[in-house]
Amino acid sequence: LPCLNEETSLAFVIQEIKKSIEENHLNAEILVSDNGSTDNSRQIAIDNGARVVVEEIKGYGSSLINGTRNTKGKYCIMGDSDGSYDFSNLKEFIEGLRNGYDLVIGNRFLGGIQKNAMPLSHKIGVKFLSITANLFFHTPVRDFHCGLRGYNREKFLALNLNQTGMEYASEMIIKASINNYSILEISILFFNMLLFCSSLFSSSLIEKMCWKVLRYFSKNPTFTICHHFIIKPTIIIQIQ
């Protein structure tokens, strides 16, 4: 979990993941990569049975890179820590990875979005950014910014992903596509994260992101790594 002040939802998310691990009989652990939380996130993670590592360099990408490097399993699953994802769906991610896919990513539009879970501006922004990215990189992903993903640890470490901010999420898909990694998209549910009063969401970010993407693609050639996409903090589950 690239975590920064997620005390309101962290315990709930960890407990939901633990249930899924037990139900699917997985040999797995939950890893929290804390990025300087000033609330009780670290202690909550420990109290709920997660392992905590600390990343000093600020940024979503930095936390996720640090988390992946500190895992021990063959596969990793990441998912937002704000309670917006259904972790009972992990079986499909594991099956996809065990069947040889290098990256398994959820699609919220196919699975269902709970009322008020994603404002219209966010839906338009996500679809716009997904279409724009796929015009350049031709991936099979239609929900480019879904935060629930599973991946082969060794293969993604081999990509040497290095974006330290939110753009890491896009770099992950783009480099996987360029390197001919196999990608599977599956339908998932998306819940209303506002139940936990998450500080991560801001509809104005979508508007700013759209302008950044337009400016970026107007200045960069095809197959240059895209730097301007958004995704929220995530849980890392490592599976042996």
Side-chain angles (χ1 to χ4, degrees):
L1 165 64
C3 177
L4 181 62
N5 299 329
E6 291 291 341
E7 65 178 7
T8 58
S9 57
L10 189 56
F12 170 80
V13 171
I14 291 175
Q15 289 304 316
E16 288 297 296
I17 294 172
K18 288 175 73 174
K19 289 179 185 177
S20 188
I21 289 173
E22 293 175 2
E23 290 172 358
N24 290 289
H25 308 290
L26 300 175
N27 180 15
E29 73 168 345
I30 301 171
L31 179 70
V32 173
S33 181
D34 189 79
N35 204 206
S37 293
T38 56
D39 63 4
N40 294 318
S41 293
R42 292 187 194 179
Q43 191 58 51
I44 288 172
I46 294 171
D47 291 344
N48 281 273
R51 180 160 65 94
V52 177
V53 295
V54 178
E55 174 53 49
E56 300 293 342
I57 300 174
K58 294 297 183 182
Y60 167 80
S62 296
S63 295
L64 194 48
I65 290 169
N66 177 56
T68 302
R69 286 173 178 169
N70 278 279
T71 60
K72 302 173 183 178
K74 182 176 181 179
Y75 306 119
C76 295
I77 295 179
M78 60 186 237
D80 292 5
S81 59
D82 54 16
S84 59
Y85 289 110
D86 177 15
F87 287 98
S88 66
N89 196 36
L90 293 185
K91 184 178 180 180
E92 291 189 48
F93 285 85
I94 299 302
E95 288 179 348
L97 292 168
R98 287 176 174 168
N99 285 333
Y101 286 95
D102 302 310
L103 173 63
V104 182
I105 184 167
N107 186 315
R108 296 165 292 182
F109 298 100
L110 290 177
I113 300 173
Q114 189 178 63
K115 184 178 180 181
N116 299 322
M118 187 185 295
L120 180 60
S121 60
H122 196 168
K123 292 178 182 178
I124 294 172
V126 169
K127 287 192 174 185
F128 169 79
L129 295 175
S130 298
I131 292 170
T132 302
N134 281 316
L135 286 174
F136 284 81
F137 303 108
H138 310 292
T139 79
V141 179
R142 296 297 176 264
D143 186 0
F144 218 76
H145 314 293
C146 178
L148 189 57
R149 308 177 180 192
Y151 53 98
N152 183 303
R153 177 181 181 272
E154 288 189 7
K155 284 209 166 185
F156 275 85
L157 286 176
L159 289 179
N160 294 315
L161 303 178
N162 55 30
Q163 298 302 305
T164 60
M166 295 290 187
E167 64 275 12
Y168 175 91
S170 296
E171 181 190 29
M172 187 180 192
I173 299 174
I174 292 167
K175 281 192 174 180
S177 180
I178 291 173
N179 284 275
N180 296 314
Y181 281 15
S182 55
I183 303 174
L184 174 67
E185 191 173 49
I186 62 176
S187 62
I188 63 166
L189 297 173
F190 188 65
F191 300 133
N192 189 349
M193 67 183 178
L194 296 180
L195 293 173
F196 296 101
C197 301
S198 174
S199 60
L200 292 168
F201 178 79
S202 173
S203 59
S204 63
L205 286 175
I206 294 297
E207 297 174 10
K208 293 177 181 178
M209 201 64 65
C210 288
W211 282 111
K212 286 182 178 180
V213 169
L214 285 172
R215 291 175 59 189
Y216 176 84
F217 283 116
S218 68
K219 296 178 180 179
N220 292 269
T222 304
F223 300 122
T224 299
I225 296 303
C226 175
H227 293 282
H228 300 295
F229 289 93
I230 182 171
I231 199 166
K232 299 182 287 299
T234 57
I235 290 284
I236 294 180
I237 308 170
Q238 50 178 315
I239 301 167
Q240 298 177 347

